[in-house]
Amino acid sequence: MANAVIMPKAGITVESCIIGTWEKKVGDKVRVGDILFTYETDKASFECESTEEGTLLEIFFGDGEEVPCLVNVCAVGNDGEDCSALRPEGAAAAAPAAAEAAPAATTTPVAAPVAVSATADGATRISPRAKKLAERAGVDASAATPTGPNGRIIERDVRTLMESGFACAKAEAPAPVAAAAPTAAPVAEYEDVKFSGIRRAISKSMHTSLSTMAQLTHNSSFDATCILAYRKLLKNAGDEYAGITLGDIVLYAASRVLKNHPDLNAHMLDDNTIRIFKNVNLGVAVDTPRGLMVPTIFRADEMSLLEISKAVKSLAAECREGNISPDKLTGGTFTVSNLGNLGIESFTPVINPPQTGILGVCTITERIKKNADGSIGSYPAMGLSLTYDHRAIDGSPASRFLKELGQTLENFTALLAK
């Protein structure tokens, strides 16, 4: 008996997935655990293992198609088995064709296809749906008996061909007859690249963020002398402390300062309601080969500096490897995006909806200041860029957050003593 393999549900918040590449083709033998195809959510990519053993009878969705979770993706069973009842769509329409084909099942399939009408250039007349089905099933559509208007092959004809047992491989197109090529104008070279699932998600999220929020960005800086000295002490200490970065230090400080600015540790539910959180769940922007991802450090305000540092590295590794659970990419109450290592002096980070704020961490530059004794000296200044939703918080409270965060980082060792 043929059985279906369904699209897995990769996380409780995932509703659909996009098929990447099929690793098996129709007619291949598969065993339980074999990789059938790759798929991706809007956050990560995965491999789908077969839950059935037998022959891959039919593929219902092709590369790049979006499939709802728990929907049949393909059928696996014994050679020649009918799998029409497993198709997620079109099963009812295929039933009459299957009934008509049943008497012929006991006879030897006719090897020669019935002649079909063709266009002026010799191409077979076939509907788009029929062509797509034939490509998925790996059959030669030109061998089908056309029943559509003007001798056109329609989807029903391809299904009848598949159920009759005549499933020859798609023939190679004949070599074109050599002809004198007309002179043509030069064509510009370009490539159209479709967005991946994660790129589409980023595009949608950024557009939604900027089109539905009243966003404003404030830029400031602070004297990074203290955190640079503390970072040097940690590096000299060695062991696990040597891996703590300046970015980790900013995350630790932000998780504490946000407790004093609840409107920034919040979600804007609608134009009239804001949800303020008791704990700080820090989203951390991570650059990956597939695009920007924002995993969450849950209850960061209760973690030590070392724990935050380890959590960031672990989550970033999962993001870059593409195997992070989608559940770790939700639930953030405030986000931090660090572009300091790329030399960015200030920027305008875009809020991750429905959060009300995002902090941009910038590079360190040398600036001039007047010392207490009247002399002129330089100091390492680190830039901070805060984007906030002006519907939820005004400019002065947002500026007070930046000011307190800068002062806290300038006296970071005092924060550790609390």
Side-chain angles (χ1 to χ4, degrees):
M1 176 180 178
N3 293 301
V5 176
I6 64 173
M7 175 60 74
K9 187 171 179 64
I12 59 175
T13 60
V14 178
E15 299 298 330
S16 64
C17 304
I18 296 174
I19 293 179
T21 304
W22 278 92
E23 303 296 332
K24 299 287 186 179
K25 62 181 182 295
V26 172
D28 285 354
K29 300 293 183 182
V30 297
R31 295 174 297 179
V32 174
D34 285 353
I35 303 301
L36 293 176
F37 59 90
T38 61
Y39 66 96
E40 60 182 29
T41 66
D42 59 351
K43 304 296 185 182
S45 59
F46 305 89
E47 294 177 332
C48 180
E49 297 181 354
S50 177
T51 55
E52 305 294 335
E53 184 166 341
T55 300
L56 182 56
L57 300 176
E58 187 176 343
I59 293 173
F60 303 138
F61 298 94
D63 295 357
E65 292 196 70
E66 186 169 359
V67 184
C69 295
L70 308 181
V71 167
N72 295 348
V73 181
C74 64
V76 176
N78 297 322
D79 291 332
E81 277 190 297
D82 178 27
C83 57
S84 58
L86 300 176
R87 296 187 190 113
E89 60 180 358
E100 293 174 6
T106 57
T107 63
T108 303
V110 180
V114 177
V116 299
S117 61
T119 59
D121 60 359
T124 302
R125 294 182 184 276
I126 183 170
S127 72
R129 286 178 62 88
K131 183 178 180 181
K132 192 172 184 180
L133 175 61
E135 290 174 348
R136 287 179 185 168
V139 303
D140 183 4
S142 66
T145 301
T147 61
N150 301 317
R152 194 182 194 197
I153 296 173
I154 59 178
E155 184 180 15
R156 178 182 60 205
D157 304 329
V158 176
R159 294 196 184 281
T160 301
L161 176 69
M162 293 162 55
E163 290 157 2
S164 69
F166 190 90
C168 58
K170 187 174 182 180
E172 294 184 1
V177 178
T183 303
V187 179
E189 294 184 2
Y190 62 88
E191 180 184 6
D192 294 331
V193 180
K194 287 193 175 295
F195 278 175
S196 64
I198 188 172
R199 190 74 256 165
R200 285 201 296 270
I202 293 171
S203 173
K204 181 179 179 180
S205 178
M206 295 299 99
H207 182 269
T208 299
S209 177
L210 290 173
S211 62
T212 60
M213 293 186 185
Q215 299 192 31
L216 188 64
T217 301
H218 289 186
N219 297 296
S220 67
S221 65
F222 67 93
D223 187 339
T225 300
C226 179
I227 62 172
L228 285 171
Y230 186 66
R231 168 71 181 92
K232 185 176 181 180
L233 286 174
L234 293 172
K235 191 173 182 179
N236 292 337
D239 297 329
E240 54 191 0
Y241 298 102
I244 295 176
T245 66
L246 293 177
D248 299 334
I249 292 173
V250 174
L251 288 173
Y252 180 86
S255 70
R256 270 60 184 177
V257 174
L258 277 168
K259 300 282 284 186
N260 300 327
H261 304 269
D263 288 345
L264 281 170
N265 187 49
H267 285 177
M268 192 75 178
L269 302 184
D270 54 47
D271 288 337
N272 300 307
T273 309
I274 184 173
R275 176 176 293 166
I276 296 175
F277 293 88
K278 295 181 179 180
N279 288 100
V280 178
N281 298 332
L282 277 183
V284 183
V286 176
D287 180 33
T288 78
R290 300 172 61 243
L292 178 69
M293 303 180 76
V294 186
T296 305
I297 305 174
F298 292 95
R299 305 178 83 92
D301 55 306
E302 297 178 354
M303 299 171 69
S304 68
L305 173 60
L306 181 59
E307 288 173 333
I308 287 178
S309 178
K310 289 181 176 179
V312 170
K313 291 173 178 57
S314 175
L315 290 168
E318 291 182 53
C319 287
R320 295 187 178 109
E321 292 166 4
N323 58 10
I324 189 168
S325 167
D327 297 333
K328 295 181 180 180
L329 299 166
T330 59
T333 59
F334 184 85
T335 295
V336 177
S337 178
N338 191 340
L339 295 180
N341 61 334
L342 297 177
I344 302 301
E345 296 184 11
S346 69
F347 65 106
T348 305
V350 179
I351 297 174
N352 190 17
Q355 296 171 22
T356 60
I358 180 172
L359 178 70
V361 181
C362 308
T363 193
I364 294 177
T365 58
E366 286 294 318
R367 293 189 180 177
I368 302 301
K369 70 175 181 178
K370 188 175 182 179
N371 299 319
D373 60 1
S375 62
I376 302 297
S378 65
Y379 71 99
M382 175 179 278
L384 297 174
S385 299
L386 173 71
T387 297
Y388 59 94
D389 188 344
H390 215 321
R391 297 176 303 167
I393 185 171
D394 293 330
S396 292
S399 298
R400 283 194 285 271
F401 166 78
L402 270 182
K403 183 177 181 180
E404 182 180 345
L405 179 60
Q407 291 174 340
T408 299
L409 288 164
E410 287 180 342
N411 301 278
F412 186 71
T413 51
L415 175 64
L416 295 174
K418 293 183 180 180

